[in-house]
Amino acid sequence: MNLEGIKGVIFDLDGTLVESSLDFSSMRETIGCPQNEDILMFVDAIECEKAKSDAHNIILQHEIEDAQNAKWLNIGRAMVEKAQQHKLPMAIVTRNCREATAIKLANNDIPIDYVLTREDAPAKPDPTALLMVASTWQLQPEDCLYVGDFIYDQQAAENAGMQWLLV
């Protein structure tokens, strides 16, 4: 991870800092979401409030179960330690719910306090959460590095005008 010129590092959570065994195919099947559609966008578009609530609860249940077993990824720990050595501010922006995120952070003693979940801002690839972090740090987006493991992470960083690293 090249930190030359970087003034702040934002990490994705699942697949970047911690392992995740979320079975999105199973979740999509359970709630009737086509396999090629974004699951969060699909649920948000459900018009029936009860059906929408039920779908959210199914996703939440899967996330909480996954959170109990999530462990640090070696590469994730190494990247956080490198950012700490450079005394850079760090944040996490995740599509996870707040509750599952808190469990993952606590169970693994992840030393990052600034965390935005899908309850705090629109989910990636929307750049809002990344721009919120840069604004809070009073940094220009191009001075921040976003590190993630999925195409949405790359798209969010590009949409925000940030540098990005796909791991």
Side-chain angles (χ1 to χ4, degrees):
M1 181 169 73
N2 181 0
L3 296 176
E4 188 175 325
I6 300 298
K7 296 179 181 174
V9 182
I10 307 167
F11 295 98
D12 172 46
L13 184 59
D14 289 356
T16 302
L17 296 182
V18 298
E19 63 188 21
S20 174
S21 59
L22 281 173
D23 184 347
F24 287 100
S25 292
S26 172
M27 281 194 292
R28 281 184 179 93
E29 187 175 316
T30 303
I31 65 172
C33 175
Q35 291 297 322
N36 61 343
E37 270 193 57
D38 179 273
I39 195 167
L40 296 178
M41 288 184 194
F42 175 82
V43 173
D44 285 344
I46 295 173
E47 292 182 14
C48 172
E49 288 305 314
K50 178 167 179 1
K52 183 184 287 195
S53 175
D54 290 347
H56 275 297
N57 287 334
I58 289 167
I59 293 170
L60 180 65
Q61 180 183 17
H62 280 267
E63 286 180 329
I64 299 301
E65 288 173 14
D66 177 64
Q68 303 298 333
N69 301 311
K71 301 290 182 234
W72 266 110
L73 289 168
N74 289 336
I75 191 167
R77 186 188 307 263
M79 290 185 297
V80 166
E81 289 171 355
K82 187 169 183 178
Q84 286 176 314
Q85 290 166 0
H86 284 79
K87 299 185 180 358
L88 295 173
M90 294 182 289
I92 293 173
V93 170
T94 178
R95 286 170 56 101
N96 268 294
C97 68
R98 189 175 293 121
E99 185 177 354
T101 298
I103 292 168
K104 291 175 183 185
L105 297 177
N107 287 352
N108 292 286
D109 294 320
I110 296 175
I112 301 174
D113 296 326
Y114 188 11
V115 179
L116 296 177
T117 67
R118 69 172 178 259
E119 289 97 344
D120 301 308
K124 300 173 287 184
D126 186 293
T128 301
L130 298 181
L131 294 170
M132 288 169 61
V133 173
S135 176
T136 299
W137 289 342
Q138 297 181 340
L139 295 176
Q140 294 301 311
E142 59 268 18
D143 294 327
C144 299
L145 175 67
Y146 185 62
V147 182
D149 70 313
F150 191 64
I151 187 69
Y152 288 165
D153 300 315
Q154 177 183 344
Q155 291 169 341
E158 289 175 347
N159 291 339
M162 290 185 178
Q163 299 179 54
W164 58 272
L165 174 63
L166 203 58
V167 296

